[in-house]
Amino acid sequence: MTKTIAKVGNSQGIIFDAALMDLARVKVGDKVNVTVHPGGSIVLTPIHPAIDSETAAKTAKQLIKKNAPLFKRLS
């Protein structure tokens, strides 16, 4: 895929279309890590924050409750 660097206000930028954003699983407002490699390659890596332990525990309890028959069969 080829993109063109465009003028955005007093800066420059690249416009990402919706399909590219979906493929990268990012949305407006998400943070990305920018890495510049020798030779000039620029890599953008989405930063997906880790969930806190309270949210993880709540989600796990919901999954266990929802799939209780499956877990019983597996045990």
Side-chain angles (χ1 to χ4, degrees):
M1 179 179 304
T2 302
K3 295 289 183 180
T4 302
I5 298 174
K7 186 96 169 128
V8 181
N10 289 330
S11 301
Q12 297 79 36
I14 298 174
I15 305 298
F16 297 136
D17 53 50
L20 182 61
M21 298 285 283
D22 288 343
L23 283 172
R25 296 185 194 139
V26 293
K27 62 186 182 309
V28 173
D30 285 356
K31 293 181 185 274
V32 295
N33 185 46
V34 180
T35 307
V36 180
H37 294 274
S41 296
I42 300 171
V43 178
L44 304 177
T45 307
I47 299 173
H48 298 291
I51 61 171
D52 60 277
S53 59
E54 187 175 310
T55 303
K58 182 179 175 184
T59 302
K61 286 179 185 178
Q62 290 173 342
L63 287 171
I64 291 169
K65 183 177 179 180
K66 178 181 176 183
N67 296 299
L70 173 64
F71 287 123
K72 284 187 180 192
R73 285 194 316 243
L74 291 172
S75 62

